[in-house]
Amino acid sequence: MVSLKEKFERIVGADHVSDGAAERYVYSRDMTENPPREPQLVVMPSTAEEVQKIVRLANEERVPLVPFATGQSVGGLTIPQVDDAVIVDLKRMNKILNVDEEGMYMVIEPGVTFGHVRKYLDESHPDLRYTYAISSPFTSVIANALLQGLCDLSTRYGSMAEFINGLEAVLPTGEIVRVGSGILGDDNWFGRYPLPDLVGLFTGWQGMTGIVTKMALQLWPKKPFTRHFALFTFGEFMTTDLLKQIVRADLAEDAGALSFSVVKALIGMPAPIEAIEGEPDYGTFLTLSGITSLELDEKVRVLKRIVDRSKAEEPKNLLIPFEAVARLMSEEAYGWVDFPSDSFKQLTEYDGLTWMGTYIHPKNWGEALFKGRKIVEKYGYELMAFLKPMKGMHFCEFKFIIRFKRDDENLKRVHQCNNELLDLALDLKAIPYKTPVWSAKKLHERADPNFIELVRRIRDLLDPNGIMNPGRWGL
Amino acid sequence: MLDEPKDFIGYLMSQLINRQLEDPNLESRVKGWKMTVVLATDYYPVTLTFNKGVRFAKGAASDATLTVEMSFGTIIRLVMEETSTIKAFLKGEIKAKGMFRHPMAMKRFYGLLNAALKG
Ligand SMILES: Cc1cc2nc3c(=O)[nH]c(=O)nc-3n(C[C@H](O)[C@H](O)[C@H](O)COP(=O)(O)OP(=O)(O)OC[C@H]3O[C@@H](n4cnc5c(N)ncnc54)[C@H](O)[C@@H]3O)c2cc1C
């Protein structure tokens, strides 16, 4: 009888299937506190047709599949939730298929990373840019968009899912489908409308509704004049209020605020980092740009005026040109704002990394930050909040990152801390993102039950045999 | 030569001064200094103790030879060369206590600070 492994080998070749102990171990876990579970096999397809054959085989054999790009979601999202799963590692599908200069989009495969995109655009399309997360340069661009993540243009344009013009996916039943304007052909991925917007069948689903094999993502023209600033501020409410004013005035392309401990880590201070009384509470990196130097200068002038006005309440608020940051703090400072994906290595100082992150209504942002800080302090972890005003201030992001040593005591403590942070977030009606199962279940308890039922029905409709990432999102 | 402070300003100053002390001539001169300087910023004060090297500590030593008061904003303006220590001093953006009693200490510290902030 032909074994399952051999059947997969016939599809992708023997070199691209493994059931070795080392691979099963590596793919069973991530850096978070979420409990590991070993898959039975790992397969690495290189084309959409191979993915299709894998999915068809999985249906015949009733084998659960877990789509995997690089496993860096910080939510345990690629850890199988059931036994005997097969990991479908998409790294070999790493082609940038097309960059459409006029329509300003790129079409890429799921193994393409932020590093690939940055390098390729810089070399071949220097007038266009994509948006970059602070995750490592080797993480998947498509996975981040599917997870509705956030990047350095999110302050202006929103979550990365907003950048999707369309996609191609292998459904859980094996059909290859397209959504978006690309339904009319390969050179036509200009957008999602006017059509039933089925991109939503794939974003936010954590790989339960199919395997995306191709995606068209918006690019943006690089503005010729750009300046960066660091803004040091005090207090949670004052900081968020000031950010709201800056972003509502449409001055900044990006505003990424960090607990001051993160700033200290960035300038090279060794872990663990203490927040010292008297230091600013937050450092925000701001990017301003213009088509002319006049436009940029005017934005800078308005920014300075807003910050100066805030000094009536907090005289120590300080706007610092990045030239000074680079001279004073670190030569690498321009990297923090220019290509953040390659700059936040300090977050992986230990073997453990986790967070509780959410999108939240602007009115609850300051309170979430204030109370969240108390929780993290109670557990004795470093204060590492990340905040981003999103989509021109229509909503906000906040998360508390915890870097930790993975011993039993810490794993338990980190989980308790995240649990408390999640309760706080849900009390403030924030929606957690990249939710591990435990977190999704808590969301279900509070959410409109008809919504959860609808999600379940759609999932069952698309995946009648329940083979796509079963158990994910607590379903 | 320097230990690493846990606070932002102390760490920053230690890094900047450290860079200067890579010049062996300056390093051997500084090793001969004996003075305590409090840099009182609007965030908080740090104490630099020069005694066969430099040590940094958060807080203000009570027996300071010199106390130099300036905001972190002024430090940034010095770095950006939007002002100089002399100009800032004349405008009252830098204040110094102990400079008349210890003019040599003042000269040494300003010299080092200027060089450190200009990189
Ligand atoms: C230090 C650090 C910083 C980070 N900072 C950010 C940040 O600033 N912003 C941000 O948004 N994220 C951030 N992340 C999270 C993460 O890196 C990104 O979301 C990342 O781009 C996801 O890619 P991945 O390769 O890790 O996905 P994976 O973990 O491999 O996959 C994530 C999920 O998507 C599913 N999936 C993956 N590929 C497909 C596919 N082709 N089709 C269908 N389902 C698929 C998987 O099954 C899984 O559920 C950070 C991570 C780290 C470690």
Side-chain angles (χ1 to χ4, degrees):
Chain A
M1 205 177 99
V2 184
S3 72
L4 187 66
K5 185 176 176 217
E6 284 166 326
K7 289 180 182 172
F8 279 117
E9 283 173 351
R10 284 180 188 166
I11 299 172
V12 296
D15 286 350
H16 304 299
V17 181
S18 175
D19 59 359
E23 280 83 0
R24 294 206 328 270
Y25 178 86
V26 168
Y27 286 90
S28 70
R29 59 197 59 231
D30 66 3
M31 289 180 83
T32 65
E33 74 281 17
N34 293 290
R37 188 194 298 256
E38 288 201 356
Q40 62 164 320
L41 282 174
V42 180
V43 292
M44 297 186 78
S46 64
T47 63
E49 289 66 34
E50 285 181 3
V51 173
Q52 183 176 42
K53 286 181 188 158
I54 289 168
V55 171
R56 286 189 171 145
L57 177 61
N59 272 290
E60 280 160 29
E61 304 277 343
R62 298 288 194 273
V63 177
L65 299 177
V66 178
F68 182 105
T70 67
Q72 297 287 316
S73 66
V74 197
L77 302 186
T78 48
I79 300 175
Q81 293 304 300
V82 294
D83 288 336
D84 295 327
V86 170
I87 300 274
V88 185
D89 185 330
L90 301 158
K91 261 187 225 71
R92 291 175 68 218
M93 300 179 67
N94 60 0
K95 288 193 277 303
I96 297 175
L97 299 167
N98 180 29
V99 170
D100 187 314
E101 285 259 357
E102 193 168 1
M104 289 189 293
Y105 64 79
M106 61 180 174
V107 183
I108 61 171
E109 292 187 330
V112 170
T113 65
F114 287 105
H116 288 140
V117 167
R118 173 66 193 239
K119 183 167 185 292
Y120 184 75
L121 291 179
D122 278 357
E123 286 171 3
S124 308
H125 302 275
D127 296 335
L128 291 173
R129 61 158 299 180
Y130 189 56
T131 171
Y132 301 101
I134 59 161
S135 51
S136 314
F138 59 78
T139 56
S140 162
V141 171
I142 284 190
N144 204 18
L146 289 174
L147 293 175
Q148 302 156 332
L150 64 149
C151 300
D152 67 353
L153 287 178
S154 294
T155 295
R156 178 152 289 157
Y157 301 114
S159 109
M160 268 189 75
E162 311 271 358
F163 290 65
I164 304 175
N165 277 359
L167 55 83
E168 174 194 91
V170 177
L171 293 181
T173 39
E175 302 85 350
I176 298 182
V177 298
R178 286 179 173 206
V179 300
S181 57
I183 55 173
L184 290 185
D186 261 338
D187 57 352
N188 198 50
W189 289 101
F190 65 83
R192 288 151 67 164
Y193 319 121
L195 285 169
D197 185 9
L198 299 188
V199 166
L201 282 182
F202 303 93
T203 53
W205 285 87
Q206 303 182 351
M208 289 183 290
T209 50
I211 299 182
V212 174
T213 46
K214 198 186 270 184
M215 187 180 277
L217 288 152
Q218 291 162 10
L219 302 170
W220 297 90
K222 273 191 202 154
K223 301 252 182 88
F225 298 91
T226 301
R227 281 191 73 184
H228 303 285
F229 291 86
L231 174 64
F232 288 179
T233 53
F234 294 79
E236 284 66 31
F237 292 98
M238 277 194 290
T239 297
T240 49
D241 284 349
L242 183 54
L243 289 179
K244 285 180 197 176
Q245 288 175 47
I246 292 169
V247 175
R248 283 183 73 125
D250 197 17
L251 299 173
E253 217 142 83
D254 188 44
L258 316 165
S259 290
F260 206 66
S261 300
V262 184
V263 176
K264 288 166 71 174
L266 283 176
I267 65 173
M269 293 184 73
I273 295 195
E274 291 165 36
I276 306 273
E277 210 189 320
E279 287 175 349
D281 293 310
Y282 296 93
T284 300
F285 298 153
L286 293 159
T287 301
L288 278 66
S289 61
I291 293 293
T292 62
S293 60
L294 208 64
E295 182 192 355
L296 177 58
D297 290 348
E298 183 58 16
K299 284 183 180 169
V300 171
R301 197 183 64 77
V302 178
L303 173 66
K304 284 183 177 160
R305 208 179 58 202
I306 293 176
V307 175
D308 279 346
R309 266 203 319 245
S310 79
K311 291 187 179 188
E313 203 176 349
E314 177 47 83
K316 290 178 290 181
N317 284 347
L318 188 63
L319 187 67
I320 306 172
F322 238 71
E323 297 77 10
V325 176
R327 269 196 230 169
L328 259 184
M329 300 181 202
S330 164
E331 293 296 319
E332 290 168 15
Y334 284 110
W336 309 340
V337 283
D338 180 51
F339 188 39
S341 309
D342 202 23
S343 303
F344 284 75
K345 300 180 185 86
Q346 294 81 355
L347 296 179
T348 44
E349 170 83 17
Y350 305 120
D351 52 353
L353 177 73
T354 187
W355 66 46
M356 209 295 299
T358 74
Y359 293 154
I360 189 168
H361 191 297
K363 71 180 174 197
N364 294 327
W365 200 24
E367 186 177 347
L369 196 58
F370 179 77
K371 291 186 173 164
R373 175 181 180 151
K374 297 262 176 290
I375 292 172
V376 176
E377 280 172 345
K378 185 176 85 182
Y379 281 91
Y381 289 115
E382 297 165 301
L383 270 180
M384 293 205 153
F386 280 64
L387 319 174
K388 199 178 278 283
M390 301 283 290
K391 209 173 184 184
M393 212 58 250
H394 282 91
F395 64 105
C396 314
E397 179 254 5
F398 87 92
K399 65 173 165 283
F400 284 94
I401 293 188
I402 303 172
R403 48 180 192 172
F404 63 99
K405 291 190 183 126
R406 292 179 68 88
D407 52 48
D408 288 348
E409 136 74 14
N410 253 329
L411 286 170
K412 229 187 315 167
R413 207 150 56 95
V414 144
H415 184 59
Q416 279 167 359
C417 182
N418 273 344
N419 237 299
E420 265 192 58
L421 286 167
L422 178 62
D423 287 339
L424 164 71
L426 291 171
D427 285 348
L428 293 169
K429 298 194 172 73
I431 310 280
Y433 63 62
K434 302 181 186 171
T435 41
V437 171
W438 64 269
S439 158
K441 283 186 173 159
K442 280 201 163 185
L443 174 64
H444 294 192
E445 285 165 17
R446 307 225 197 172
D448 174 0
N450 287 342
F451 171 74
I452 306 297
E453 181 50 30
L454 176 63
V455 168
R456 209 182 285 280
R457 267 201 235 166
I458 293 172
R459 196 270 320 255
D460 292 347
L461 186 74
L462 289 174
D463 185 14
N465 294 325
I467 59 145
M468 284 304 304
N469 221 347
R472 208 24 69 212
W473 212 62
L475 294 181
Chain B
M1 180 169 184
L2 298 170
D3 48 351
E4 292 204 329
K6 293 254 174 215
D7 69 287
F8 175 66
I9 293 181
Y11 181 82
L12 207 58
M13 294 311 296
S14 78
Q15 296 296 302
L16 295 172
I17 288 176
N18 214 2
R19 264 190 237 158
Q20 296 304 312
L21 298 186
E22 281 165 14
D23 170 357
N25 286 334
L26 183 62
E27 190 195 14
S28 75
R29 265 189 287 138
V30 168
K31 270 191 175 161
W33 297 356
K34 207 161 186 272
M35 60 186 191
T36 303
V37 181
V38 171
L39 181 65
T41 72
D42 52 343
Y43 291 172
Y44 55 85
V46 288
T47 299
L48 288 74
T49 309
F50 293 85
N51 187 2
K52 300 185 186 128
V54 202
R55 270 179 300 112
F56 296 80
K58 186 180 180 251
S62 54
D63 59 346
T65 323
L66 276 180
T67 298
V68 177
E69 227 178 89
M70 71 174 104
S71 69
F72 193 65
T74 301
I75 294 179
I76 297 298
R77 290 185 351 98
L78 288 169
V79 171
M80 293 295 288
E81 298 184 31
E82 287 171 6
T83 187
S84 65
T85 38
I86 307 274
K87 273 194 215 155
F89 187 76
L90 292 175
K91 279 191 174 169
E93 291 165 351
I94 299 181
K95 292 182 187 129
K97 251 192 269 164
M99 61 184 274
F100 293 117
R101 259 197 295 153
H102 304 286
M104 186 52 112
M106 185 70 186
K107 185 170 171 285
R108 284 173 170 166
F109 181 67
Y110 269 26
L112 185 61
L113 185 71
N114 254 328
L117 294 183
K118 285 187 182 143

